[in-house]
Amino acid sequence: MKETAKLKRIAILGSTGSIGTQALEVIAAHPQLFEAEVLCAHSNATLLIAQAKQFKPNAVVVTDETKYTEVKEALGSLPIKVFAGAGALADVVAWDSVDIVITAIVGFAGLHSTIAAVKAGKRIALANKETLVVAGDIVTRLASETGATVIPVDSEHSAIFQCLAGEDYSQVEKIILTASGGPFLGKKPNFLVNVKASHALQHPNWTMGAKITIDSATLMNKGLEMIEAKWLFGLENEQIDVVIHPQSIIHSMVQFTDSSVKAQMGLPDMKLPIQYALAYPGRVHNDFKRLDFKEFSKLSFEQPDYKTFRNLALAKDAMYKGGNAPGVLNAANEVVVHAFLQNRVSFIEMSDVIETVGTRIAFIEQPTLEDHEQSDKEARIRAAELVKKSQLSH
Ligand code: NDP
Ligand code: MG
């Protein structure tokens, strides 16, 4: 007899973003399985209102408080609760009516709400990788205390998670994260010196939010993903490898102690890892385009160029250093990416700033959450000072 799956009620933090809107597409495609319980956005009130009218959640949160009146008035005639401010996120993720929290806020801004969901013992479909980069130790320790489960949404980590289904984690020899290489694969510093944001925003295989698209062009994204993998799968630094795979068909691999390698493949489409995280441990039939191997005559692999794409090397160093170093790297990176998008710092200078900030913030080996917040603040100030010295800022 076929069992009827229980409807899962979902809170989406960052519903107006690239991951958030794709998560809503997945929910819309499977109304018998998933329901939007809470939608949260920052400043895009227009889209949040439209989403609320379509999905009729129990509540919406707009973290930019200046948008509250607009959202409240637009939804006034509907039975939808409206809250404002970042503090409201911590409350709604803990509601009994929320089964799964999708953390799709971009950057350090997602840390507190993710921790609140972990404290509430929820299932978390984690897209906000910066949370684990900054405070992976705290988040994983808390999750083991509260019974929260963190299921990756990031495609590489979803691939590894899928390869590990039914496996004994202690038999993992290493994981191999694949990277497309981004739009500047094969380029050298003399080319990168002149690239602009509009250039870097053209990712060959994925359509994503602006911040992660720039991180993909600098390979910082892959560095952040190494740290994310370390915490998600409880790995030693030496067990984490990166290979460039321009076609983005293999989403990542696991090598086991008997030399066997498992890979998870598919066409690049974030809706698949989102759906997997929501449906786990099950799989759900969908109408996504299928991978036809005959259309891919070649799947290729190469070494990352750590010398040209220094952000990858800097992130790897921060991972080895541990403590507050990844958080400092992340904060400096958020500042320079923002500045690069506004043409206030050059592509190459982004790495210079991140490297210098890393040497200027006091190292803390076992930071508390408060330490992380303080380091984040200091690193942002330092990075902003250095950005101001860029010729482009004048
Ligand atoms: P987007 O920039 O597209 O969306 C970001 C979302 O976060 C928006 O809903 C935005 O709200 C909200 N937001 C921004 N700042 C704040 C804030 N201060 N407080 C609360 N909410 C805020 O990002 P993506 O969807 O691309 O990425 C989201 C996360 O998922 C990132 O951590 C990224 O690394 C990760 N990820 C993304 C992938 C992708 O394909 N896009 C793939 C793998 C991981 P608003 O629009 O209303 O301002
Ligand atoms: Mg990824």
Side-chain angles (χ1 to χ4, degrees):
M1 198 171 61
K2 212 171 166 189
E3 206 183 317
T4 319
K6 186 177 159 275
L7 191 68
K8 289 176 178 157
R9 292 159 301 176
I10 298 167
I12 308 182
L13 312 183
S15 68
T16 49
S18 163
I19 292 290
T21 51
Q22 292 181 86
L24 282 171
E25 284 180 49
V26 170
I27 292 173
H30 303 283
Q32 75 288 9
L33 296 177
F34 311 124
E35 185 177 72
E37 173 69 8
V38 186
L39 300 179
C40 310
H42 184 53
S43 57
N44 190 344
T46 311
L47 183 55
L48 180 64
I49 291 163
Q51 291 177 338
K53 286 182 175 167
Q54 182 184 349
F55 289 91
K56 305 193 172 49
N58 186 4
V60 300
V61 179
V62 58
T63 49
D64 177 349
E65 298 185 26
T66 66
K67 305 280 174 166
Y68 174 75
T69 313
E70 182 183 348
V71 178
K72 179 78 187 158
E73 280 175 7
L75 302 178
S77 60
L78 297 167
I80 299 175
K81 300 179 191 80
V82 181
F83 303 104
L89 295 178
D91 297 333
V92 294
V93 295
W95 282 358
D96 285 345
S97 61
V98 170
D99 298 311
I100 303 178
V101 179
I102 303 180
T103 63
I105 290 175
V106 61
F108 184 82
L111 180 68
H112 279 286
S113 45
T114 306
I115 287 188
V118 172
K119 280 189 179 158
K122 296 294 179 188
R123 177 194 286 196
I124 291 139
L126 184 120
N128 178 233
K129 66 188 82 181
E130 294 90 346
T131 290
L132 288 186
V133 170
V134 176
D137 51 347
I138 294 174
V139 172
T140 45
R141 207 177 329 117
L142 261 179
S144 67
E145 284 166 21
T146 64
T149 44
V150 181
I151 318 272
V153 164
D154 214 348
S155 58
E156 295 77 0
H157 305 75
S158 176
I160 292 163
F161 190 65
Q162 292 182 55
C163 290
L164 286 173
E167 298 284 357
D168 175 352
Y169 277 39
S170 69
Q171 298 300 320
V172 173
E173 198 161 75
K174 69 172 184 176
I175 60 153
I176 304 146
L177 294 169
T178 52
S180 70
F184 305 134
L185 176 61
K187 301 295 186 201
K188 293 293 166 194
N190 60 353
F191 175 90
L192 295 176
V193 100
N194 293 317
V195 301
K196 295 275 173 278
S198 53
H199 214 156
L201 284 169
Q202 308 296 321
H203 195 278
N205 305 337
W206 299 95
T207 309
M208 310 174 285
K211 193 255 175 184
I212 187 177
T213 307
I214 301 303
D215 284 345
S216 299
T218 64
L219 293 200
M220 177 57 91
N221 184 48
K222 211 49 54 181
L224 300 179
E225 290 183 353
M226 292 176 85
I227 305 170
E228 180 186 13
K230 169 178 170 154
W231 296 113
L232 274 172
F233 305 112
L235 299 166
E236 299 298 329
N237 299 326
E238 297 72 22
Q239 290 178 289
I240 304 168
D241 211 351
V242 172
V243 68
I244 302 287
H245 166 48
Q247 298 80 17
S248 297
I249 293 300
I250 294 183
H251 298 308
S252 279
M253 299 175 259
V254 179
Q255 179 176 306
F256 293 91
T257 49
D258 61 356
S259 79
S260 177
V261 177
K262 276 167 99 174
Q264 187 267 338
M265 305 188 208
L267 293 170
D269 181 348
M270 282 309 297
K271 289 201 292 300
L272 177 55
I274 293 169
Q275 179 185 296
Y276 187 81
L278 297 184
Y280 176 81
R283 287 191 184 270
V284 176
H285 175 266
N286 60 33
D287 59 3
F288 300 167
K289 188 165 185 284
R290 269 42 180 170
L291 171 60
D292 180 353
F293 281 97
K294 297 182 287 305
E295 285 175 16
F296 291 88
S297 59
K298 187 172 133 193
L299 295 184
S300 60
F301 305 92
E302 58 188 90
Q303 259 300 331
D305 178 353
Y306 285 92
K307 283 212 169 80
T308 303
F309 295 92
R310 285 161 52 215
N311 280 3
L312 180 57
L314 291 168
K316 192 173 171 183
D317 287 351
M319 176 175 81
Y320 272 83
K321 206 167 165 196
N324 63 339
V328 168
L329 169 107
N330 177 69
N333 183 56
E334 287 191 28
V335 171
V336 293
V337 168
H338 186 65
F340 178 69
L341 285 166
Q342 296 176 337
N343 200 27
R344 290 189 288 113
V345 71
S346 75
F347 192 90
I348 301 273
E349 284 172 327
M350 287 198 276
S351 307
D352 298 335
V353 172
I354 295 165
E355 183 168 16
T356 307
V357 171
T359 63
R360 301 235 175 121
I361 306 296
F363 179 64
I364 306 172
E365 196 168 348
Q366 289 193 317
T368 61
L369 201 50
E370 292 70 33
D371 292 331
H372 280 306
E373 273 162 18
Q374 190 55 31
S375 297
D376 176 87
K377 267 199 201 106
E378 286 173 23
R380 280 171 202 272
I381 293 169
R382 295 283 183 198
E385 286 166 4
L386 292 165
V387 165
K388 273 200 192 128
K389 292 187 180 156
S390 165
Q391 284 216 323
L392 292 175
S393 281
H394 297 291

